[in-house]
Amino acid sequence: MWSHRSWPGRSLPSGERLRHYASWCDAVEGNTTFYATPARDTVASWAAQTDPSFRFVLKLPRVVTHERRLTDVGDPLRAFLDAIEPLGPRAHALWIQLPGSFSPADVPALGRFLGQLPRSHRYAVEVRHPAFFTEPRAIRLLEETLTAASAEWIPFDTTAFFTSPPTSDAERDAWTKKPRVPLRSVALTDRPIVRYLGRDDSARTVQGWRRWVEVTADWLREGRSPTMFVHTPDNADAPQLARRFHDEVRARVPGLDALPEPMPVEPLTLF
């Protein structure tokens, strides 16, 4: 998000953009790692710009998840794990996003893959095949496989987005690309992760996340440590909306720490 074209801090030098973003939100999705493993020096700069408590949820490279489908992936996986090592505790979870063609028949491959991963990281899996949301046996099989590896199931909630036809170019583009699956709000571990997609209309985005405010508050009361990512089709207002979501949860769980005070993009002046 810190390099997104709509992010105001994008005008800052590249070595300062993440630091600026981290004053707005204390977690970020690492989606670019899906397309290419970053250089270790680049990752070290991410660590230098963030506190140890900042959360990166980094997507595994597509060669691992989509091209080789979790099989014979030793070399690219080792390269990825070595590259992200400088993050230390900031690597909150490694995100295993699987293609829509990854079906219940492929779950044994997922189980073998999870069993071979180093225990030094936490793992979270996102699936998109409809059977994992509608067929009880498929749901149970995946939950048992993830639980055995202490891995989380990441729901990508697009239900609010798909309630009515798109009204903008960004929404029309997302309409053809985003998965349309039923809502899931069950946590398997003490670190649930949720991805939520609203609309370009902020009011509709806020209306659609009401259930997640309550679920997140309940998780916090249970002693869990959830991470919530708020998206819109153009993501222009996503950081501000994320802060609003945090405020709504904090109103229900007053003990939740406040987010940091955002840094200004331009230096403050008296005139």
Side-chain angles (χ1 to χ4, degrees):
M1 185 67 207
W2 71 82
S3 294
H4 194 272
R5 62 182 178 275
S6 66
W7 178 245
R10 193 164 182 255
S11 62
L12 295 169
S14 59
E16 293 295 321
R17 294 172 188 168
L18 174 54
R19 191 187 311 280
H20 180 264
Y21 171 88
S23 74
W24 279 77
C25 298
D26 55 8
V28 73
E29 288 182 353
N31 189 59
T32 58
T33 55
F34 177 72
Y35 301 99
T37 294
R40 188 180 170 99
D41 288 349
T42 298
V43 178
S45 76
W46 299 349
Q49 294 180 65
T50 52
D51 292 333
S53 60
F54 188 86
R55 298 181 178 187
F56 287 85
V57 177
L58 299 172
K59 191 184 291 188
L60 260 62
R62 61 182 169 186
V63 64
V64 173
T65 56
H66 286 55
E67 295 173 14
R68 300 189 185 180
R69 298 174 70 90
L70 310 182
T71 301
D72 190 23
V73 295
D75 290 343
L77 182 61
R78 279 189 292 273
F80 177 76
L81 294 175
D82 178 70
I84 66 169
E85 192 274 335
L87 289 179
R90 300 166 187 79
H92 182 71
L94 302 188
W95 170 17
I96 305 166
Q97 185 186 78
L98 297 170
S101 61
F102 195 94
S103 72
D106 298 305
V107 172
L110 173 62
R112 290 190 294 271
F113 176 72
L114 291 172
Q116 296 168 1
L117 293 173
R119 296 297 95 191
S120 53
H121 288 287
R122 301 282 292 257
Y123 303 95
V125 176
E126 180 186 337
V127 292
R128 297 188 169 188
H129 193 285
F132 291 121
F133 301 87
T134 59
E135 297 180 11
R137 291 182 62 183
I139 295 170
R140 185 170 61 252
L141 175 63
L142 182 57
E143 287 183 339
E144 290 174 350
T145 300
L146 295 177
T147 299
S150 299
E152 188 54 83
W153 180 337
I154 301 180
F156 185 18
D157 180 14
T158 60
T159 56
F161 175 72
F162 283 114
T163 54
S164 61
T167 59
S168 69
D169 288 343
E171 288 189 349
R172 281 185 282 274
D173 182 63
W175 194 268
T176 64
K177 296 178 179 178
K178 303 304 181 183
R180 190 181 307 208
V181 294
L183 176 70
R184 175 184 168 83
S185 58
V186 178
L188 300 181
T189 72
D190 61 343
R191 293 188 187 183
I193 300 170
V194 176
R195 306 181 67 228
Y196 166 76
L197 176 65
R199 300 292 294 251
D200 285 341
D201 181 346
S202 294
R204 295 185 63 186
T205 298
V206 171
Q207 181 61 36
W209 77 34
R210 296 298 182 197
R211 63 169 69 89
W212 286 114
V213 171
E214 301 304 330
V215 169
T216 303
D218 285 343
W219 282 340
L220 288 164
R221 296 185 190 106
E222 293 167 2
R224 302 180 197 261
S225 184
T227 306
M228 180 80 179
F229 293 112
V230 175
H231 291 272
T232 64
D234 62 10
N235 272 331
D237 299 322
Q240 295 92 329
L241 287 166
R243 291 181 66 89
R244 179 170 176 177
F245 181 89
H246 186 277
D247 287 342
E248 291 193 14
V249 173
R250 192 164 179 250
R252 290 158 175 78
V253 187
L256 179 63
D257 290 342
L259 289 173
E261 189 67 24
M263 295 168 53
V265 176
E266 300 294 338
L268 295 176
T269 67
L270 297 176
F271 306 100

